[in-house]
Amino acid sequence: MTENFDRAPGAGRARMKPTSPGLAAVGDRGTTFDFSQREPLRQPRTSPPLPENVTQSNETAAGESRRKSKPNHQVIYNSTPASQEKILDSMVKTSSLSANAPEFYPFSYSPYQECFLEEASHNYCPEASLGELVEEFLSHLNSSPGSFETDIDYIASMLNSCVTTEETLNELVELIYTQSTAIPNFSYTGARLCNFLSHNLVFAPPSGNFRQLLLQRCRTEFEQKDKAVWGDEETRKTFHAYVLFLGELYLTLEVKNPKGPPSRAAILLTALGDLMNALFSNPEDGNLICAVKLLKLTGSVLEDSWKESGKSDMDQLVDRIKNIVMDAKCSRDVKQMLLGLLELRSSNWGRVYASAAAEATPDNDPNYFMNEPTFYTADGTPFTAADPEYSEKYQEILDREDDYFPEDYEENGNELLYDEDEMDPEIEEAFETFCIESERKRRH
């Protein structure tokens, strides 16, 4: 049965049993196929080298057939070391890969973060210029503001290594100021960075430390306020970015107080009042929008600070806003923004004090029961805690729940109508019948 069975892979594809090594099969059109000259299968790429005990005749025949049919595979897989080196050389010459290609990083990976630790440990400034370094830091903080707390120590350490002269300190102040007012929505993070560096930047020349130089830079822009509010659109846009950054700086910058906790810079309080007056002096849409943004950001803090000093600057600003709403030729949307700002200020800037809520009673607060739940009686009548008969109706609901959920119920809702050691009479009778029937079937 197995005499004519060819064990070679792929044998018998012609669905015919050869009866002799030289059998010739006839095709559909009379073409003959010599099975003895059948092309052998290509050797697998991962196959081990042929054993040495293979007979010379089989090795020669297989080699000749392999060279005739697949010369390229013979060169690649069974070539000598010299021929392999030639092939590799040709592949290297034709390859488009380069050892000088720039290093690849995924989009979400920040390669310079790993450099912070190494460069900080060596305490030296990298070869990149201070401008490139600061721009890289600010770009990273702008794209990942949530990493501020984890990265700020590394940033400060690198800047302490680089900022060692008065020239580099002035350059650092200018770079941070420029980026904080030029990058949209970066004023908050820029103000936080300025506050941190004002307390952690070591180098402080006689001309002033980081905070003092930063305030001097802000003052330079402040002196141009009267011209800026009447300038062209680009000038006013740059000035508005400066105003909002100064507002963030006032809320964030802490000045050490030897007699108590840190305080805000009083000079910025005066500057912000003058800046708003300058904006209202030219009540066009852009200036008014900037003023609304600034007051929404800092209004509550400014008013508290002015009241502590016995000043009524906020009342004066509110009066100017009311006059602008009545007389100015601003757009309708801007007027709605100003009215919303007035409403916000009348509600104490939206602040709710816990003490006021604790002292509220049903007699002095009409909204005392506003957040209380609504209940329903058996006939579907709604009532709340403000109802005079609330206690009686609520007790009826509790009694009704006791009827629906008796004490025999477990806390998780499982019913316990009988003890674990006792069974219901019907269940007990059914169980005895089941036991008797089972015993009878077992005997039979």
Side-chain angles (χ1 to χ4, degrees), residues 272-328:
L272 290 176
D274 294 339
L275 288 173
M276 278 185 283
N277 287 323
L279 291 171
F280 290 142
S281 65
N282 180 22
E284 62 90 27
D285 288 356
N287 289 336
L288 294 177
I289 292 174
C290 178
V292 170
K293 290 181 179 180
L294 180 61
L295 285 174
K296 284 185 176 181
L297 176 66
T298 63
S300 60
V301 179
L302 292 177
E303 185 167 11
D304 293 343
S305 300
W306 281 327
K307 285 183 177 179
E308 291 177 0
S309 304
K311 298 179 180 179
S312 59
D313 291 24
M314 183 58 69
D315 294 331
Q316 298 175 10
L317 290 175
V318 169
D319 292 338
R320 296 197 65 174
I321 294 174
K322 292 179 179 179
N323 294 332
I324 290 172
V325 173
M326 296 296 295
D327 301 333

Side-chain angles (χ1 to χ4, degrees), residues 393-407:
K393 293 180 180 180
Y394 188 70
Q395 186 62 40
E396 291 179 2
I397 292 178
L398 296 179
D399 296 339
R400 193 164 65 245
E401 290 181 353
D402 291 340
D403 295 338
Y404 291 151
F405 304 100
E407 294 180 356

Side-chain angles (χ1 to χ4, degrees), residues 36-266:
S36 63
Q37 299 298 326
R38 183 175 63 248
E39 176 184 348
L41 296 179
R42 178 177 58 82
Q43 182 181 0
R45 296 185 178 183
T46 57
S47 62
L50 296 175
E52 297 180 357
N53 57 357
V54 179
T55 59
Q56 183 67 24
S57 59
N58 292 339
E59 184 177 359
T60 304
E64 291 176 355
S65 176
R66 195 174 294 113
R67 283 193 296 271
K68 293 178 181 179
S69 59
K70 303 288 183 179
N72 293 334
H73 292 294
Q74 178 67 20
V75 172
I76 294 177
Y77 299 108
N78 296 322
S79 59
T80 62
S83 61
Q84 290 180 355
E85 292 180 0
K86 294 180 180 179
I87 296 173
L88 293 176
D89 292 340
S90 62
M91 292 176 62
V92 171
K93 292 179 180 179
T94 58
S95 175
S96 60
L97 300 177
S98 174
N100 299 323
E103 191 172 359
F104 170 76
Y105 294 101
F107 178 76
S108 60
Y109 178 73
S110 299
Y112 67 87
Q113 292 183 1
E114 296 182 357
C115 299
F116 285 164
L117 286 173
E118 180 181 356
E119 294 174 351
S121 62
H122 290 80
N123 194 27
Y124 70 94
C125 187
E127 296 180 359
S129 64
L130 180 62
E132 295 175 350
L133 184 65
V134 174
E135 184 178 355
E136 185 178 1
F137 290 155
L138 298 181
S139 176
H140 169 67
L141 293 177
N142 182 46
S143 60
S144 304
S147 64
F148 183 90
E149 297 293 341
T150 57
D151 295 343
I152 189 61
D153 290 331
Y154 301 127
I155 294 175
S157 177
M158 292 296 299
L159 293 178
N160 277 321
S161 300
C162 298
V163 179
T164 56
T165 62
E166 185 175 350
E167 181 181 358
T168 54
L169 180 60
N170 283 293
E171 182 182 359
L172 175 64
V173 170
E174 183 64 28
L175 288 171
I176 294 179
Y177 171 82
T178 302
Q179 294 294 328
S180 298
T181 56
I183 301 177
N185 302 323
F186 188 69
S187 56
Y188 170 70
T189 305
R192 293 181 67 190
L193 178 62
C194 291
N195 179 63
F196 189 88
L197 293 180
S198 67
H199 297 287
N200 294 275
L201 199 62
V202 177
F203 182 73
S207 59
N209 55 23
F210 177 85
R211 178 176 59 83
Q212 294 170 339
L213 294 178
L214 176 65
L215 294 177
Q216 291 178 13
R217 178 62 182 87
C218 294
R219 182 178 180 82
T220 302
E221 194 71 22
F222 172 82
E223 293 174 351
Q224 305 296 324
K225 63 182 185 303
D226 296 328
K227 295 181 180 180
V229 295
W230 293 93
D232 55 17
E233 183 178 358
E234 188 64 27
T235 302
R236 284 186 277 110
K237 184 178 179 181
T238 303
F239 178 72
H240 297 160
Y242 157 74
V243 171
L244 295 178
F245 170 67
L246 205 67
E248 295 284 4
L249 198 62
Y250 175 68
L251 297 177
T252 308
L253 188 63
E254 297 177 344
V255 180
K256 292 183 179 180
N257 185 4
K259 298 181 180 180
S263 60
R264 293 186 174 91

